[in-house]
Amino acid sequence: MADTKREIERKYEARGRDTDATSLPDLTAVGGVSALVHRGVTELDAVYYDTADQRLAAASITLRRRTGGDDAGWHLKLPVADGVRDEIRAPLSAGVPRVLVGLVRSRIRDAPLLPVVRLRSLRDVHHLVDSDGALLAELSVDVVTADRLSGGDGSTGWTEIEVELADDQEPAFLDKVEKKLKKGGLRRSKSASKLARALAETAPAPVAAPAPAADAVPPSGAVSAEAGPVSEAVSGPGTGTEAGPAPDAVAAPGAVPVSAPGAVSAPGAGPDPVVPPHTAAAPVLAYLTVQRDALVTLDPAVRRDEHDSVHRMRVATRRMRSTFRSYGKVLDRTVTDPIADELKWLAGELGVDRDAEVLTERLTGHLTGLPRTLTTGPVRTRLRTWAHARRGGSRRRLIAVLDGKRYLTLLNRIDALLAAPPLLPAAHRDPAKVIHKAAAKDFGKLSALVEDALARPRGPERDLAMHDARKKAKRLRYAAEAALDTLGAPAKDAVRGAKALQGLLGEHQDSVMTRGALRDIAAQAQGARESSFTYGLVYGREEHLAAGYEDALPEAWEEAQRRTREIRGTR
């Protein structure tokens, strides 16, 4: 069992190890602060865990086992924004709690977690309170000693000031405190966390390897061993192979890395691939890298059931899969198609949970707007029972999928593809020409499906045609998204047009699915001898909404055609 706390704090560098609260400026001069209440000195002892290659630290994630203080236990900190982290806590135990291992699984894959740094802090705690004694923020003066446990044996120490905002207080309060601290000679810490500073200051000095003798050969069967005590290691499911860049890859003059600014470095992928700038490969690989990073980052959010996380993760799988197809002349589809098949599988697993969520919200919205005179029988109770049964089972299944070998292997395969992309001749050509051609091809397929839908009478066949058109509208949108940095305004306009069309077709599909759900719920109600009148009423409303979406399709299609002309290279 784990608890979560949103942590908003700032760290400041002190002038020396002898800094204490008496050398701080008078914080009662800060607006709203009535007193600085001393809460005593505490000894904290924390051991931080990471993989041998520090995958968690690279993503600004910290995992520690801490004793001392009033929150002893296991703490996993996930970054939310600058100075904002979610701290997930679990009780003390000998090994890393399973729930916390799951939350970092997309980062560590099958690599063991090892103790990397031990931090001992002498914490002098003060509370900033208002005139009523309510807590505004907690200020700590930490005298820190850090010892490297693996990957080196260095030690270091420093003093820092930490100010953490109290629950339900406005972050702007920290601005006022910071202004006062800076006037007192302090400055914001250069390190994002104590762990980051400890790793940097205890890292072993690089040693130049001696040049091998001309006739030297490696011993037969030699392998490199990972450091770290086996008894301390925590290993999880999954044994996917992690590939690095091709050994014969050569960077062209003026080449640029694929990853977008702020991109996540995925485990096992090696350095980001380097491709020549101003070629079709650069924007395509950059877009794929962003989607890979989204999958890895959203994994813990999905496990924690954060709002909209399943939907966003599912969209990332679709964007990647769609890009493989749209830019099949850039990346070899004999390599990408098997990965696309696995992405389709993952999207399907995510969709079970997402579809239940969408349908529940839509049905609840209908019932909320109905007068009581039109609600007959235990309708809301029946809906809650139906939703709980669908979501409960789907959640358990989804977590099992994310813990499974198939999913972890998929992540490793994506890393390997980005590290050594299977480039085709078109990858080295003018990106504008390649993108125009890909967009024109996607538009042609979309056009055929929309015209087919418009030609059909209302009913299941038109519903299916509109659903197929929706999927092609997404593909055109994602192809244009990949071209935003390359083509600018034309791509942005195309994204808007395709997104609007996709939205209309999506609403129609949601109505189709909602009517199917209503038939199921009504059947359950009748089986329990409950009235099905209300379900029939909502069904009729959904039919009316669907008819409106279909009536709006011709105009939406005309607008989408207009907005996508430039990216398709037409006038």
PDB file of all heavy atoms in Angstrom, residues 58-75:
ATOM      1  N   ALA A  58      18.730   9.832 -14.405  1.00  0.00           N
ATOM      2  CA  ALA A  58      18.681  10.501 -15.699  1.00  0.00           C
ATOM      3  C   ALA A  58      17.308  11.088 -15.980  1.00  0.00           C
ATOM      4  O   ALA A  58      17.178  12.055 -16.729  1.00  0.00           O
ATOM      5  CB  ALA A  58      19.062   9.515 -16.817  1.00  0.00           C
ATOM      6  N   ALA A  59      16.274  10.505 -15.373  1.00  0.00           N
ATOM      7  CA  ALA A  59      14.906  10.995 -15.550  1.00  0.00           C
ATOM      8  C   ALA A  59      14.450  11.843 -14.377  1.00  0.00           C
ATOM      9  O   ALA A  59      13.257  12.133 -14.242  1.00  0.00           O
ATOM     10  CB  ALA A  59      13.953   9.817 -15.730  1.00  0.00           C
ATOM     11  N   SER A  60      15.388  12.273 -13.507  1.00  0.00           N
ATOM     12  CA  SER A  60      15.084  13.095 -12.322  1.00  0.00           C
ATOM     13  C   SER A  60      14.110  12.398 -11.377  1.00  0.00           C
ATOM     14  O   SER A  60      13.262  13.034 -10.741  1.00  0.00           O
ATOM     15  CB  SER A  60      14.530  14.462 -12.750  1.00  0.00           C
ATOM     16  OG  SER A  60      15.479  15.168 -13.528  1.00  0.00           O
ATOM     17  N   ILE A  61      14.227  11.077 -11.282  1.00  0.00           N
ATOM     18  CA  ILE A  61      13.417  10.274 -10.374  1.00  0.00           C
ATOM     19  C   ILE A  61      14.309   9.792  -9.237  1.00  0.00           C
ATOM     20  O   ILE A  61      15.448   9.370  -9.470  1.00  0.00           O
ATOM     21  CB  ILE A  61      12.801   9.065 -11.105  1.00  0.00           C
ATOM     22  CG1 ILE A  61      11.816   9.533 -12.176  1.00  0.00           C
ATOM     23  CG2 ILE A  61      12.109   8.122 -10.122  1.00  0.00           C
ATOM     24  CD1 ILE A  61      11.315   8.416 -13.072  1.00  0.00           C
ATOM     25  N   THR A  62      13.802   9.860  -8.012  1.00  0.00           N
ATOM     26  CA  THR A  62      14.571   9.357  -6.872  1.00  0.00           C
ATOM     27  C   THR A  62      13.772   8.295  -6.130  1.00  0.00           C
ATOM     28  O   THR A  62      12.558   8.403  -5.975  1.00  0.00           O
ATOM     29  CB  THR A  62      14.947  10.488  -5.892  1.00  0.00           C
ATOM     30  OG1 THR A  62      13.756  11.094  -5.376  1.00  0.00           O
ATOM     31  CG2 THR A  62      15.785  11.549  -6.582  1.00  0.00           C
ATOM     32  N   LEU A  63      14.489   7.265  -5.691  1.00  0.00           N
ATOM     33  CA  LEU A  63      13.902   6.173  -4.920  1.00  0.00           C
ATOM     34  C   LEU A  63      14.806   5.937  -3.716  1.00  0.00           C
ATOM     35  O   LEU A  63      15.994   5.660  -3.876  1.00  0.00           O
ATOM     36  CB  LEU A  63      13.814   4.907  -5.780  1.00  0.00           C
ATOM     37  CG  LEU A  63      13.389   3.621  -5.066  1.00  0.00           C
ATOM     38  CD1 LEU A  63      11.979   3.757  -4.510  1.00  0.00           C
ATOM     39  CD2 LEU A  63      13.478   2.433  -6.013  1.00  0.00           C
ATOM     40  N   ARG A  64      14.236   6.046  -2.516  1.00  0.00           N
ATOM     41  CA  ARG A  64      15.076   5.925  -1.331  1.00  0.00           C
ATOM     42  C   ARG A  64      14.362   5.156  -0.226  1.00  0.00           C
ATOM     43  O   ARG A  64      13.137   5.083  -0.175  1.00  0.00           O
ATOM     44  CB  ARG A  64      15.457   7.309  -0.804  1.00  0.00           C
ATOM     45  CG  ARG A  64      14.314   8.066  -0.155  1.00  0.00           C
ATOM     46  CD  ARG A  64      14.677   9.492   0.184  1.00  0.00           C
ATOM     47  NE  ARG A  64      13.555  10.202   0.790  1.00  0.00           N
ATOM     48  CZ  ARG A  64      13.445  11.527   0.847  1.00  0.00           C
ATOM     49  NH1 ARG A  64      14.405  12.296   0.337  1.00  0.00           N
ATOM     50  NH2 ARG A  64      12.392  12.093   1.415  1.00  0.00           N
ATOM     51  N   ARG A  65      15.196   4.623   0.680  1.00  0.00           N
ATOM     52  CA  ARG A  65      14.714   4.008   1.911  1.00  0.00           C
ATOM     53  C   ARG A  65      15.265   4.862   3.051  1.00  0.00           C
ATOM     54  O   ARG A  65      16.479   4.927   3.254  1.00  0.00           O
ATOM     55  CB  ARG A  65      15.210   2.571   2.042  1.00  0.00           C
ATOM     56  CG  ARG A  65      14.703   1.841   3.292  1.00  0.00           C
ATOM     57  CD  ARG A  65      15.353   0.473   3.404  1.00  0.00           C
ATOM     58  NE  ARG A  65      14.744  -0.312   4.469  1.00  0.00           N
ATOM     59  CZ  ARG A  65      15.104  -0.257   5.754  1.00  0.00           C
ATOM     60  NH1 ARG A  65      16.077   0.578   6.129  1.00  0.00           N
ATOM     61  NH2 ARG A  65      14.503  -1.026   6.644  1.00  0.00           N
ATOM     62  N   ARG A  66      14.389   5.540   3.782  1.00  0.00           N
ATOM     63  CA  ARG A  66      14.846   6.492   4.790  1.00  0.00           C
ATOM     64  C   ARG A  66      14.341   6.126   6.178  1.00  0.00           C
ATOM     65  O   ARG A  66      13.183   5.749   6.352  1.00  0.00           O
ATOM     66  CB  ARG A  66      14.389   7.911   4.435  1.00  0.00           C
ATOM     67  CG  ARG A  66      15.042   8.963   5.330  1.00  0.00           C
ATOM     68  CD  ARG A  66      14.882  10.355   4.777  1.00  0.00           C
ATOM     69  NE  ARG A  66      13.567  10.920   5.056  1.00  0.00           N
ATOM     70  CZ  ARG A  66      13.198  12.147   4.681  1.00  0.00           C
ATOM     71  NH1 ARG A  66      14.047  12.908   3.976  1.00  0.00           N
ATOM     72  NH2 ARG A  66      11.997  12.600   4.963  1.00  0.00           N
ATOM     73  N   THR A  67      15.224   6.290   7.145  1.00  0.00           N
ATOM     74  CA  THR A  67      14.860   6.149   8.551  1.00  0.00           C
ATOM     75  C   THR A  67      15.111   7.483   9.234  1.00  0.00           C
ATOM     76  O   THR A  67      15.921   8.297   8.793  1.00  0.00           O
ATOM     77  CB  THR A  67      15.686   5.046   9.231  1.00  0.00           C
ATOM     78  OG1 THR A  67      17.083   5.337   9.083  1.00  0.00           O
ATOM     79  CG2 THR A  67      15.389   3.697   8.623  1.00  0.00           C
ATOM     80  N   GLY A  68      14.422   7.700  10.354  1.00  0.00           N
ATOM     81  CA  GLY A  68      14.508   8.972  11.042  1.00  0.00           C
ATOM     82  C   GLY A  68      13.395   9.892  10.590  1.00  0.00           C
ATOM     83  O   GLY A  68      12.848   9.756   9.492  1.00  0.00           O
ATOM     84  N   GLY A  69      13.018  10.848  11.411  1.00  0.00           N
ATOM     85  CA  GLY A  69      11.938  11.764  11.052  1.00  0.00           C
ATOM     86  C   GLY A  69      10.580  11.118  11.226  1.00  0.00           C
ATOM     87  O   GLY A  69      10.444   9.971  11.654  1.00  0.00           O
ATOM     88  N   ASP A  70       9.548  11.877  10.862  1.00  0.00           N
ATOM     89  CA  ASP A  70       8.177  11.387  11.047  1.00  0.00           C
ATOM     90  C   ASP A  70       7.612  10.741   9.788  1.00  0.00           C
ATOM     91  O   ASP A  70       6.428  10.397   9.753  1.00  0.00           O
ATOM     92  CB  ASP A  70       7.260  12.527  11.512  1.00  0.00           C
ATOM     93  CG  ASP A  70       7.268  13.704  10.542  1.00  0.00           C
ATOM     94  OD1 ASP A  70       7.926  13.599   9.482  1.00  0.00           O
ATOM     95  OD2 ASP A  70       6.620  14.721  10.846  1.00  0.00           O
ATOM     96  N   ASP A  71       8.436  10.591   8.742  1.00  0.00           N
ATOM     97  CA  ASP A  71       7.942   9.956   7.520  1.00  0.00           C
ATOM     98  C   ASP A  71       8.885   8.845   7.068  1.00  0.00           C
ATOM     99  O   ASP A  71       9.103   8.642   5.869  1.00  0.00           O
ATOM    100  CB  ASP A  71       7.762  10.987   6.401  1.00  0.00           C
ATOM    101  CG  ASP A  71       9.078  11.644   6.001  1.00  0.00           C
ATOM    102  OD1 ASP A  71      10.071  11.500   6.755  1.00  0.00           O
ATOM    103  OD2 ASP A  71       9.116  12.286   4.941  1.00  0.00           O
ATOM    104  N   ALA A  72       9.445   8.105   8.025  1.00  0.00           N
ATOM    105  CA  ALA A  72      10.352   7.010   7.685  1.00  0.00           C
ATOM    106  C   ALA A  72       9.636   6.017   6.779  1.00  0.00           C
ATOM    107  O   ALA A  72       8.450   5.725   6.954  1.00  0.00           O
ATOM    108  CB  ALA A  72      10.834   6.323   8.952  1.00  0.00           C
ATOM    109  N   GLY A  73      10.371   5.488   5.817  1.00  0.00           N
ATOM    110  CA  GLY A  73       9.794   4.530   4.890  1.00  0.00           C
ATOM    111  C   GLY A  73      10.462   4.622   3.532  1.00  0.00           C
ATOM    112  O   GLY A  73      11.534   5.215   3.376  1.00  0.00           O
ATOM    113  N   TRP A  74       9.826   4.024   2.550  1.00  0.00           N
ATOM    114  CA  TRP A  74      10.286   4.097   1.161  1.00  0.00           C
ATOM    115  C   TRP A  74       9.617   5.287   0.490  1.00  0.00           C
ATOM    116  O   TRP A  74       8.403   5.490   0.635  1.00  0.00           O
ATOM    117  CB  TRP A  74       9.930   2.818   0.416  1.00  0.00           C
ATOM    118  CG  TRP A  74      10.792   1.644   0.780  1.00  0.00           C
ATOM    119  CD1 TRP A  74      10.539   0.709   1.733  1.00  0.00           C
ATOM    120  CD2 TRP A  74      12.043   1.288   0.186  1.00  0.00           C
ATOM    121  NE1 TRP A  74      11.554  -0.216   1.785  1.00  0.00           N
ATOM    122  CE2 TRP A  74      12.490   0.117   0.833  1.00  0.00           C
ATOM    123  CE3 TRP A  74      12.823   1.834  -0.833  1.00  0.00           C
ATOM    124  CZ2 TRP A  74      13.688  -0.517   0.492  1.00  0.00           C
ATOM    125  CZ3 TRP A  74      14.016   1.199  -1.171  1.00  0.00           C
ATOM    126  CH2 TRP A  74      14.446   0.049  -0.514  1.00  0.00           C
ATOM    127  N   HIS A  75      10.398   6.080  -0.242  1.00  0.00           N
ATOM    128  CA  HIS A  75       9.881   7.260  -0.928  1.00  0.00           C
ATOM    129  C   HIS A  75      10.296   7.219  -2.399  1.00  0.00           C
ATOM    130  O   HIS A  75      11.486   7.110  -2.704  1.00  0.00           O
ATOM    131  CB  HIS A  75      10.428   8.549  -0.307  1.00  0.00           C
ATOM    132  CG  HIS A  75      10.168   8.678   1.153  1.00  0.00           C
ATOM    133  ND1 HIS A  75      10.927   9.487   1.986  1.00  0.00           N
ATOM    134  CD2 HIS A  75       9.232   8.109   1.955  1.00  0.00           C
ATOM    135  CE1 HIS A  75      10.473   9.396   3.214  1.00  0.00           C
ATOM    136  NE2 HIS A  75       9.440   8.565   3.225  1.00  0.00           N
TER     137      HIS A  75
END
